Amino acid sequence: MKISHLIFSLYVACALLLAGCAPANITLFPRYSDPLEEQVLQGTHQDKILVISIQGFISSTPREGMLTTKPSLVQEVVAHLDMARRDPLIRAVILTVDTPGGTTVDSDILYHEIERFRLETGTPVVVSLMGMATSGGYYISLASDLITAHPATITGSVGTIFIRPKVHGLMEKLGLEAQVTRSGSLKDMGSPFRPELPAEQELIQQMVDDVNGFFLELVQQRRRLSAEHMADVASARIYTASQALEVGLIDEVLHFPRVLTRAAEISGASPDARVVVYRRSAYANDNVYNTMTNSAPGPALVDFGFVGHMASLKSGFYYLWAPQYE
């Protein structure tokens, strides 16, 4: 949608309101303060299978737009789990994971929140890896009882990167400099204003290896890979679904309708269990492939999603498949 189209839409909506031709409760932009409400997508039995979409950059930072602020991905997923925890009719939870990853801390938070839900409620959690479920996306999937992948999924990238921007070359061309007074020789390690020293590069590599050790240990603990396959995974390479199945990163390659069937089988739910989602808006002709919780006619113009996150990444450690940074 172009800006001119948005302005025109706002003008028309305001004109209708002033003329009394539009309902008083019209919503120009989504209200993320509205509570989540259950929507039934299919099935009639009292048993329920909840589908939660985990899509986009894994972060606990709210997604800021010019016209609205969306809850962070971590906040939304935890809110879904908390709501499911209060419903005794939820027999299984399916997580549809489509994310290249995110920060190391937030990926670990989501992993532990999913694991806590599964252990406290005894409710089976099934993961359905979708388009791109790499690095932090795979990390959080390890908390589940069963990991499945769509036949065209890309997954893996079990690794850690430390991103830090460098602008000293540009500053030199512009005749600019930053003067830093430091208390210790490594106080400004990773500074974007100067080249890194060999000793600093070595320390950063040690930190990356240390943080990545948690990831590799978790993979080995949850997946019990052979030494050969573990060495292959530790290279941080990506895998197709069939390759991931071969090395043991996933359990099955399934299209989503079959994932629903497997979730019912694992949990003992009725084959006609109600498939439910939590949303803030109702959608006509809704189905399991709708990943939105709230209708958003306006923010799409100013919310750049994952691209926006990538353009504004702060220095730090990430479980993220980001080839342009590696």
Side-chain angles (χ1 to χ4, degrees):
M1 182 184 292
K2 296 180 179 179
I3 293 179
S4 58
H5 293 166
L6 175 63
I7 295 174
F8 177 75
S9 298
L10 289 171
Y11 174 80
V12 171
C14 291
L16 288 172
L17 284 173
L18 292 174
C21 298
N25 63 348
I26 184 171
T27 301
L28 297 179
F29 304 108
R31 294 188 298 267
Y32 291 97
S33 59
D34 289 346
L36 293 166
E37 296 183 353
E38 180 183 280
Q39 304 288 338
V40 179
L41 303 183
Q42 64 187 61
T44 58
H45 194 274
Q46 69 170 359
D47 291 345
K48 299 177 185 178
I49 296 176
L50 172 65
V51 179
I52 301 176
S53 173
I54 301 180
Q55 184 179 47
F57 188 80
I58 300 173
S59 172
S60 59
T61 302
R63 290 165 283 182
E64 299 285 347
M66 185 185 302
L67 302 173
T68 188
T69 299
K70 294 183 179 181
S72 72
L73 178 62
V74 171
Q75 178 184 343
E76 280 286 76
V77 174
V78 172
H80 280 65
L81 294 174
D82 287 342
M83 190 168 173
R85 186 180 276 107
R86 298 190 294 269
D87 187 347
L89 295 179
I90 298 291
R91 299 294 301 276
V93 172
I94 297 176
L95 306 176
T96 59
V97 179
D98 193 348
T99 167
T103 73
T104 56
V105 170
D106 293 320
S107 298
D108 189 63
I109 287 173
L110 262 193
Y111 170 87
H112 284 283
E113 287 292 340
I114 295 167
E115 182 182 50
R116 183 167 70 92
F117 169 83
R118 182 174 58 84
L119 295 178
E120 288 180 355
T121 65
T123 304
V125 176
V126 176
V127 162
S128 176
L129 303 180
M130 301 302 281
M132 181 189 296
T134 52
S135 208
Y138 183 75
Y139 188 104
I140 65 176
S141 301
L142 290 167
S144 67
D145 296 281
L146 183 75
I147 302 179
T148 73
H150 184 278
T153 292
I154 296 298
T155 188
S157 187
V158 175
T160 306
I161 59 175
F162 178 66
I163 297 175
R164 63 274 195 198
K166 290 294 181 182
V167 298
H168 57 86
L170 177 62
M171 291 177 65
E172 289 177 1
K173 291 181 180 180
L174 297 177
L176 302 174
E177 65 177 31
Q179 186 170 350
V180 177
T181 302
R182 53 192 177 182
S183 60
S185 61
L186 297 177
K187 179 60 180 176
D188 64 339
M189 184 175 70
S191 170
F193 304 123
R194 63 174 178 79
E196 285 177 352
L197 302 174
E200 294 172 326
Q201 294 175 352
E202 183 178 351
L203 284 174
I204 291 174
Q205 185 62 57
Q206 291 174 2
M207 295 170 68
V208 168
D209 293 342
D210 187 33
V211 173
N212 196 56
F214 294 114
F215 198 168
L216 295 176
E217 183 179 351
L218 190 61
V219 171
Q220 183 57 37
Q221 175 188 337
R222 298 291 296 173
R223 303 304 304 179
R224 302 296 182 186
L225 304 185
S226 68
E228 179 184 359
H229 287 157
M230 195 65 209
D232 192 51
V233 169
S235 71
R237 57 160 292 185
I238 57 174
Y239 298 88
T240 63
S242 59
Q243 291 171 336
L245 180 64
E246 183 178 353
V247 301
L249 288 179
I250 66 174
D251 300 296
E252 300 179 44
V253 178
L254 302 172
H255 287 92
F256 193 75
R258 179 58 181 157
V259 177
L260 289 171
T261 302
R262 290 290 288 123
E265 292 172 350
I266 292 172
S267 64
S270 167
D272 193 36
R274 285 174 290 171
V275 178
V276 301
V277 292
Y278 299 147
R279 305 203 196 285
R280 293 185 175 85
S281 301
Y283 293 83
N285 307 312
D286 205 357
N287 59 61
V288 295
Y289 299 107
N290 178 8
T291 61
M292 298 178 67
T293 60
N294 204 113
S295 59
L301 179 71
V302 294
D303 179 6
F304 298 100
F306 176 66
V307 175
H309 276 293
M310 292 301 293
S312 61
L313 285 183
K314 301 176 182 178
S315 295
F317 294 92
Y318 295 86
Y319 293 142
L320 178 69
W321 184 46
Q324 63 268 44
Y325 284 100
E326 298 185 64

